Each structure stands twice: as C-alpha cells, then as structure tokens.
Amino acid sequence: MTVSDTDARSQRIRATVHAYLDAVAAGVAADIAALYADDATLEDPAGSEPRVGRDAIAEFYKGVEATENSTELLTLRISGTTAAFHFRVVTKAGDQTYEIEPIDIMTFDEDGRITSMRAVWAPEDMRQS
C-alpha cells in the first residue's frame, strides 16, 4: 500500500467518523445504520451482547430518535483500518439533560463503512444536569 493509498483510507475513515457524529446528533437511526457494513457488529457498551447486521444496528439506534442530541469530537486517532475516538454527547430527553464522553473503537472496510464498533463507557460515566 502506498502513502497516497494510506492517506486516502485515512480520509475515508475520518469522513465516516464525522458523518457518524453528525448522524447521531441528527437523531435518525437509518442514517446512522447506513454508515455500517451489512454484516457489521456493534457493542455499546463494550462487553454487552453484540448486535449483528445493519437491521439490528438500526434498531439499536432508534433510541436517539426520541431525543435531542449534540456531539463534539474531542480526539480522533486512526491506525490502519481502525479508529479510536473520544467524543461528547449531550442528550436532552424531556426536561432532563445527560452528558457522556465515550471512547469508540471502530474498524472499517475499503469503502469506509464501519465493520465493527465498540463503545467504551459505563453507566457511572454519564452525568445528569
């Protein structure tokens, strides 16, 4: 793989991470799921029962459709076909506001689609205001 191939792959991954954060903020499950490969896996939080396939992943993200969300990328690192990123999500549900800063670890295919996602966080990481 040449340097330009590596740069192009990194740019595709970077674009997908930004699209993911934008889609989470917009709160449309189908748009988030569309960023995943057909046979992708999702563990949110890491260690939970994996969801396998785009339909199961879309079902998981249905929860964001009933909330108002904003996202902010804090740190992104890309190595090969893997990205790890730390970000903030602020969620408004009714009169409650929640904030969490998970670290997501994603792998990607050649087209920049997410093939796996593991979200590293625990319930005690969530703050309510």
Side-chain angles (χ1 to χ4, degrees):
M1 182 171 280
T2 67
V3 171
S4 62
D5 290 340
T6 301
D7 289 345
R9 180 180 59 209
S10 291
Q11 289 305 316
R12 282 191 301 276
I13 290 171
R14 186 175 307 282
T16 300
V17 168
H18 284 279
Y20 171 79
L21 294 174
D22 290 346
V24 168
V28 180
D31 292 348
I32 302 168
L35 298 170
Y36 283 82
D38 291 338
D39 59 349
T41 60
L42 175 146
E43 290 179 45
D44 191 347
S48 63
E49 184 67 30
R51 289 163 170 75
V52 180
R54 193 177 289 156
D55 290 341
I57 291 168
E59 184 63 32
F60 171 80
Y61 284 112
K62 287 275 188 198
V64 301
E65 294 185 345
T67 60
E68 180 183 330
N69 303 289
S70 64
T71 59
E72 177 186 3
L73 181 62
L74 302 172
T75 305
L76 170 61
R77 298 290 183 266
I78 299 169
S79 179
T81 59
T82 302
F85 57 100
H86 179 211
F87 65 105
R88 178 179 299 120
V89 180
V90 178
T91 301
K92 293 181 183 177
D95 60 350
Q96 298 295 317
T97 300
Y98 303 91
E99 184 176 320
I100 191 162
E101 294 181 2
I103 297 171
D104 281 7
I105 303 164
M106 294 180 170
T107 58
F108 299 83
D109 65 16
E110 292 177 9
D111 297 321
R113 292 207 182 270
I114 303 162
T115 56
S116 69
M117 188 278 265
R118 299 184 80 215
V120 181
W121 67 277
E124 58 268 18
D125 298 325
M126 190 173 294
R127 295 176 296 281
Q128 182 178 354
S129 58

